[in-house]
């Protein structure tokens, strides 16, 4: 791209020919204010805040739509420009209600900020303001038309960003307002992006409304605990209560993207059924409340007595890497068992083995935004992997990426796909084969596959990819926030941390089915969900969880655990990117799983070393291949670093394991969903896959 | 159909000469009176020759902006691989304007022929006539004429026995002044809200359905056959330098013989009012003239002694615009005029951009208040200032269209606003400061 | 939702007027012509048009709200539209509208109890040189005096 010389406010700068003036100015530290201009979205030129003076132009020009050209001379702070901004703000404020003291947005409102910086101090408007009542469009979305400045950001983020298009504009002139998809209400992803992107308090959140002033919150940047995509979320915490989740600072792999779960479904932390004290099954066979010391003592004694090969351990897809690592270490050493597993939701193991001897072929979330082509196999990405879907949509929008889908039913990605193949999941590979010619013409490709591709099929898919003759990267989709970390940390009956072979033990299903199982320790998992039962009726069962799940109801001892929003540590997302969890709120009555494991070890007289997240992460970094070269400063400052599992030396699983995605939708993630009031409220119709 | 007003002997009838004929809208009448002769000529010459004739004619767009038509036609990339389209702007909505209605009503084939010549010039095979919704009856007239043209081999395939093909359709609007703005019209044509597009790209490059599009006003297209028949130079000579030919001027308001009359560009304004229009009605004196639709700043009586061509009127501080000439007598209440104009633009503002949406609304409320007798002295300055703040800052020209007449009226008839304020018993000379 | 055979034929023809894949262009004509038969832009009608053109109802709603001639609320069998814009105002358009209001006992966009007549103060309808003008449905009446208006309105009531 050719460079041109542009003079802004007397300073000569170089810029790419045709770049938008507003961006060129920003790159050179000059702010051209705007409401409707939003990086990455289509241009509107509607708010007129960005008008600047361009030499030789007969009138002020909109900086947001003005491509720079050689010799252009621009003034952004000249008298006509300053006056134009003042008057535009005066026009805006004429109808805008000045109800800032009771507006949720007060304190972080762009209109306030703009008026503060560019506006005039007084109003000349003495007429009656246009008023229409506020409307509620869904449990989470409220719309106050008088506050709306019609910047159309919400319409664009919904349509272009989310691919939903549930917001529109109707009426005209001063009566123009935003309208929802279904007449008087919204039927959409309920992601709340529209609320976040609203520069004023026109769209407000049903969760956050009137809860707090923005400056009274602490802002804690952590990682969403729901799906596997690992979006960074900034929790707004007030009085030890999470009142908001968003990512307005655009930090992390997700930028400002969050789905309904990331933005709202933190409310499970406050659910009244949240366990706050340990439970022990009494003589009458009922679970009764007990002190931590009594419960820990009982469990430690029992564990010591029952340790051995018939001890089963089921780990979690949500607990931290540190907790998972410590759990398997404890199980394999102190408890002397190889029967360790977790709910496996995607075949990462075979992928890593298939890529044996190769490097750089595991895609990051960013790769989905930059790759020239993406192939989605057997997954309803927008429902199950919302961030990845969002990255692909942005890639299409900004780079015209080629998208191909091979799915059993309609998916949102079809709309942007070059080619969409409809084929039963079992025949996915045949569908992929149909795309061979098209794919081989692409410059590069990322292949994303769901749980229908496992075992031998993964090898076939990789063989297909490698035969295309172009650079190919892969993502094996998994379900939960730390599904990938559970695999990486060796919560597997035949593989230890870093996919190193260990002596084989029972798989999860084998543990459930084995009548001889002496004890079962379930950490943050609910294997008995859906009416399943434990074959070993005498097994001593200990469950660590947030709620009294089906599995917890079978337990002899239940230990209340902290959620991901209540602890520190690291998690690894679906693309193998490691990120840091930061404690948002203190727990009441419950303890972090790491602490529980440590206390049990101490109770058993086992020395696990220093049990805190940082120390164990250091141990992981020192001992787990793939985690040993992670740049700590990046992780500590909230960045994401991809692990590099050792490609090779992973033997095929000798233990028949079950890999099955829970087939969650946008509105569900396992047990947690049930305890999120808001997720249950927003469902007009439950999200469904392939429909 | 009978004429709505008697023609004047002072007219120069170039594009309206068939208006009085029996069955003037029928193809038979059209063919009997030079119809489709220009098309046959156009078929024999090259597209560049057509455009050169137009350039020589000094024809300027009759919709309001007055852009040189030949130049506009030359912008359409004939070599583009995309299909090229013709779009006729028959969304005549500028208050004071009612000429395109007559051109379609009395001489629809002239418009069809103009479209065909345009299609030849730019290589288009399809076109639409976007007719404002209120002109429903014209759709029937136009559809009938189009059907006749198909039947007689002037539309469809193998036009006039050549390999030239062209399809033409009518398309109805649904009530929106803004759709007269060309990019908003294209949005509306595509079945969307009539909100203007960001330009560039201009319609010539990316217009209807994102393809190169030749978009002109009804009168502009209707002038093309005459230009080809008589030659560009001869047409230009009818008018004045830089404003060639004739145009239909719609005279309304306080005159004895209001009506639509065809006169050459450069025709003296006062002669038009006094001799063709029969002078100001009821023996009253002239107060002001709005020369080119309600968006053009009005001219006080003493400013009206000028020729009616683009440059002269611009020099006098107004615009020839769409040819909607409104005459006001000495009794006219200028505050009411300003209010009515602003009410119109406020009603028609699409709402896309802030200065127009909020500016027209604020101004309407203020003008209404002043008109209702609740004005303050400071309001007068504020009205002018707010209008000035809209000027040149809106997304499309509607903001300017609302601002220009307002600025002119406040400036030229400030005394009338002051009289209104003086009648307000609660008027305070100064705004009382809160602090 | 079904329409008369004539309207169905018109709809079928309309969509052929636009380039392949651009059938949305038929939206406004379909709404305008359909409104004459349906009476107003009902939710059911919007849904039907949306379905036929491959749009969602909101996209139709956006358009309907924009155009002043598309009415979600049904107007009378005879919709009397009086222009009061400048050219008409100069020749008595405002007085004519006031007269119609009093005569009909209706205000702007109001419909008579029997649903026969509705009234609307409209913007310039392109009859400036023959002002003041009114439209009853799509029929123009030029240079209308209050007496003529009375006659026209009487005629409608029959």
């Amino acid at each position: 791209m050719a460079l041109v010389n542009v003079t802004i406010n007397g300073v000569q700068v170089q810029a790419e020919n045709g770049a938008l003036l507003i961006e060129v100015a920003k790159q050179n530290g000059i702010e051209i204010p705007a409401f409707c201009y939003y990086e990455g979205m289509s241009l509107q030129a509607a708010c007129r805040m960005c008008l600047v003076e361009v030499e030789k132009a007969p009138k002020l020009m909109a900086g947001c739509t003005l491509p720079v050209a050689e010799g252009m001379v621009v003034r952004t702070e000249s008298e006509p420009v300053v006056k134009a901004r003042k008057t535009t703000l005066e026009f805006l404020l004429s109808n805008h209600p000045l109800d800032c003291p009771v507006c949720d947005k007060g304190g972080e409102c762009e209109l306030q900020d703009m008026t503060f910086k560019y506006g005039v101090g007084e109003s000349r408007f003495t007429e009656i303001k246009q008023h229409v009542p506020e409307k509620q469009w869904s449990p989470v979305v409220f719309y106050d038309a008088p506050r709306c400045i019609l910047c159309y950001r919400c319409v664009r983020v919904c349509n272009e960003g989310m691919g939903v298009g549930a917001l529109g504009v109707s009426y005209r002139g001063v009566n123009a307002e935003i309208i929802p998809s279904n007449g008087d209400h919204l039927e959409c992803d309920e992601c709340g992006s529209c609320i976040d992107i609203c520069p004023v308090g026109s769209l407000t959140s049903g969760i956050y409304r009137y809860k707090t002033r923005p400056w009274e919150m602490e802002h804690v940047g952590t990682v969403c605990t729901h799906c596997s995509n690992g979006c960074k979320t900034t929790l707004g915490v007030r009085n030890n209560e999470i009142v908001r989740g968003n990512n307005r600072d655009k930090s992390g792999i997700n930028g400002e993207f969050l789905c309904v779960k990331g933005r709202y479904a933190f409310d499970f932390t406050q659910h009244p059924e949240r366990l706050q004290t340990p439970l022990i099954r009494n003589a009458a066979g009922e679970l009764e409340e007990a002190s931590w010391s009594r419960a820990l003592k009982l469990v430690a004694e029992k564990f010591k007595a029952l340790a051995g090969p018939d001890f089963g351990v089921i780990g979690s897809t949500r607990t931290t890497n540190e907790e998972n690592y410590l759990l398997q270490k404890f199980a394999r050493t102190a408890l002397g068992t190889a029967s360790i597993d977790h709910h496996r939701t995607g075949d990462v193991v075979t992928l890593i083995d298939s890529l044996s001897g190769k490097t750089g072929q595991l895609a990051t979330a960013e790769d989905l935004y930059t790759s020239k082509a993406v192939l989605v196999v057997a997954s309803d990405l927008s429902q199950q992997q919302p961030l990845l879907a969002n990255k692909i949509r942005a890639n299409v929008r900004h780079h015209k990426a080629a998208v191909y889908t091979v799915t059993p039913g309609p998916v949102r990605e079809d709309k942007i796909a070059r080619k969409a193949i409809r084929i039963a999941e079992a025949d996915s590979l045949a569908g992929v084969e149909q795309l061979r010619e098209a794919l081989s013409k692409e410059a590069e490709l990322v292949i994303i596959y769901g749980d229908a591709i496992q075992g031998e099929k993964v090898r076939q898919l990789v063989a297909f990819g490698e035969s295309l003759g172009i650079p190919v990267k892969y993502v094996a989709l998994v379900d939960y926030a730390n599904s990938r970390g559970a695999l990486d940390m060796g919560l597997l009956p035949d593989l230890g941390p870093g996919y190193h072979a260990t002596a084989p033990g029972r798989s999860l299903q084998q543990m459930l089915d084995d009548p001889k199982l002496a004890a079962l320790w379930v950490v943050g998992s609910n294997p008995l969900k859906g009416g399943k039962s434990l074959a070993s009726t005498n097994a001593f069962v200990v469950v660590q969880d947030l709620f009294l799940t089906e599995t917890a109801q079978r337990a002899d001892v239940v230990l209340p655990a902290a959620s991901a929003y209540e602890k520190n540590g690291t998690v690894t997302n679906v693309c193998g990117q490691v990120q840091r969890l930061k404690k948002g709120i203190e727990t009441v009555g419950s303890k972090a799983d790491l602490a529980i494991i440590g206390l049990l070890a101490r109770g058993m007289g086992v020395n696990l070393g220093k049990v805190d997240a940082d120390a164990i992460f250091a141990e992981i970094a020192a001992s787990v291949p793939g985690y040993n070269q992670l740049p700590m400063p990046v992780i500590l400052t909230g960045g994401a670093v991809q692990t590099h599992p050792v490609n090779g030396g992973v033997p095929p699983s000798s233990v028949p394991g079950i890999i099955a995605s829970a087939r969650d939708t946008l509105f569900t993630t396992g047990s947690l969903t049930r305890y999120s009031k808001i997720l249950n409220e927003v469902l007009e119709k439950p999200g469904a896959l392939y429909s | 159909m009978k004429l709505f007003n008697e023609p004047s002997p002072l007219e120069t009838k170039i594009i309206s000469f068939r208006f009085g004929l029996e069955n003037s809208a029928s193809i038979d009448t059209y063919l009997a009176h030079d119809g489709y002769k220009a098309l046959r000529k156009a078929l024999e010459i090259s597209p560049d020759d057509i455009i050169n004739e137009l350039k020589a004619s000094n024809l300027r767009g009759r919709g309001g902006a007055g852009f040189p038509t030949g130049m506009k036609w030359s912008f359409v990339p004939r070599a583009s691989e995309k299909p090229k389209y013709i779009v006729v702007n028959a969304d005549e909505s500028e208050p004071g304007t009612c000429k395109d209605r007559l051109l379609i009503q009395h001489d629809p084939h002239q418009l069809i022929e103009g479209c065909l010549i345009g299609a030849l010039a730019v290589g288009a095979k399809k076109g639409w006539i976007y007719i404002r919704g209120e002109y429903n009856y014209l759709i029937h007239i136009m559809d009938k004429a189009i059907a006749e043209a198909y039947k007689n081999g002037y539309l469809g395939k193998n036009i006039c026995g050549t390999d030239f093909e062209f399809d033409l359709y009518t398309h109805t609007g649904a009530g929106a002044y803004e759709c007269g703005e060309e990019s908003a019209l294209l949005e509306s044509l595509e079945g969307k809200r009539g909100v203007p597009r960001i330009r560039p790209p201009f319609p010539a490059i990316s217009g209807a359905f994102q393809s190169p599009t030749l978009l002109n006003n009804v009168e502009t297209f209707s002038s093309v056959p005459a230009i080809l028949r008589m030659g560009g130079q001869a047409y230009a000579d009818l008018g004045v330098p830089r404003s060639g030919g004739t145009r239909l001027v719609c005279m309304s308001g306080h005159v004895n013989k209001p009506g639509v009359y065809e006169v050459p560009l450069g025709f003296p304004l006062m002669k038009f009012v006094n001799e063709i229009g029969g002078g100001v009605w009821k023996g009253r004196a002239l107060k002001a003239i709005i020369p080119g639709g309600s968006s053009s700043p009005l001219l006080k009586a003493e400013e009206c002694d000028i020729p009616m061509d683009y440059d002269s009127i611009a020099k006098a501080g107004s615009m020839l615009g769409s040819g909607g000439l409104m005459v006001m007598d000495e009794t006219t209440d200028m505050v009411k005029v300003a209010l009515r104009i602003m009410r119109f633009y406020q009603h028609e503002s699409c709402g896309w951009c802030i200065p127009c949406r909020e500016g027209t609304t604020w101004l309407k409320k203020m003008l209404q208040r002043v008109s209702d007798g609740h004005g303050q002295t400071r309001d007068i300055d504020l009205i002018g200032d707010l209008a000035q703040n809209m000027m040149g800052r809106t997304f499309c020209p509607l903001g300017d269209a609302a601002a220009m007449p307002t600025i002119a009226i406040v400036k030229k008839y400030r005394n009338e606003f002051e009289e209104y304020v003086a009648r307000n018993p609660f008027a305070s000379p100064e705004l009382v400061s809160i602090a | 939702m079904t329409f008369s055979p004539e309207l169905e034929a018109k709809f079928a023809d309309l969509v052929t007027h636009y380039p392949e894949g651009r059938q949305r262009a038929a939206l406004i004509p379909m709404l305008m012509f359909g409104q004459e038969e349906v009476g107003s832009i009902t939710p059911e009608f919007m849904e039907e048009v949306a379905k036929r053109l491959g749009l969602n109802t909101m996209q139709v709603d956006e358009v309907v709200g924009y155009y002043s001639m598309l009415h979600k609320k049904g107007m009378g069998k005879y919709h009397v539209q009086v222009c009061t814009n400048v050219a008409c105002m100069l020749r008595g358009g405002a007085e004519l509208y006031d007269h119609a209001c009093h005569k009909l006992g209706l205000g702007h966009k109001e419909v008579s109890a029997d649903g026969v007549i509705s009234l609307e103060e409209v913007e310039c309808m392109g009859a400036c040189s023959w002002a003041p003008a009114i439209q009853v449905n799509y029929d123009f009446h030029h240079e209308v005096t209050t007496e003529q208006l009375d006659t026209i309105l009487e005629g409608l009531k029959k």
Side-chain angles (χ1 to χ4, degrees), chain A residues 46 65 82-83 91 226 294 394 478 591:
Chain A
T65 51
V82 169
K83 178 153 194 270
F91 279 138
H226 291 281
R294 199 181 134 217
V478 289
K591 291 184 194 298

Side-chain angles (χ1 to χ4, degrees), chain A residues 120-135:
Chain A
V120 284
E122 63 171 325
S123 171
R124 298 185 290 178
F125 185 83
T126 54
E127 316 304 319
I128 293 169
K129 293 193 186 226
Q130 178 92 1
H131 183 75
V132 285
E134 189 183 37
K135 301 173 189 82

Side-chain angles (χ1 to χ4, degrees), chain A residues 471-483:
Chain A
V472 181
K473 290 185 179 184
Y474 302 86
V475 181
L477 295 175
V478 289
D479 280 5
Y480 299 114
N482 206 22
S483 281

